[in-house]
Amino acid sequence: ELYENNKDKVLVQGLDYEEPNKEAVYKHIDNLSINYPIVLFSEENKLHFNKIAEVTGMPTTNVYSPKGILLYSKPGVLSPSQLEYLLTQ
């Protein structure tokens, strides 16, 4: 819901930073009705992947400025209200 209400202001991506089991990932996407892009790690995108994500655990929330500057990073789950607060800062 947060993504749907703010998709003109925010980009949400799911990053799978391990060699993925694609069938399990797609099942997870379907089960949770995920409506944002998922980027799967591969040897081909390894260099680019490491530049866009600073993952210290799963899940990790990273908030970047429109210029790509990391503004906030927190391992663990954030509530929708916490995310909304971050979007207003």
Side-chain angles (χ1 to χ4, degrees):
E1 185 177 316
L2 178 71
Y3 173 67
E4 284 298 318
N5 293 338
N6 294 282
K7 62 184 170 183
D8 60 328
K9 297 180 252 178
V10 66
L11 171 64
V12 174
Q13 291 181 322
L15 303 173
D16 187 339
Y17 71 99
E18 298 174 328
E19 207 50 58
N21 172 332
K22 290 182 183 180
E23 184 177 319
V25 170
Y26 294 134
K27 184 177 180 180
H28 186 70
I29 290 168
D30 287 341
N31 287 342
L32 295 178
S33 301
I34 293 174
N35 60 353
Y36 50 83
I38 303 295
V39 180
L40 301 177
F41 175 86
S42 70
E43 286 300 317
E44 290 81 24
N45 70 8
K46 183 177 183 176
L47 292 175
H48 298 290
F49 195 96
N50 290 336
K51 289 180 184 178
I52 62 170
E54 294 182 26
V55 178
T56 58
M58 290 297 286
T60 297
T61 300
N62 293 328
V63 177
Y64 293 89
S65 74
K67 294 182 180 181
I69 299 167
L70 180 64
L71 302 173
Y72 178 85
S73 182
K74 179 184 185 286
V77 177
L78 294 182
S79 70
S81 61
Q82 290 170 309
L83 287 171
E84 285 185 46
Y85 174 77
L86 289 172
L87 291 175
T88 63
Q89 301 305 302

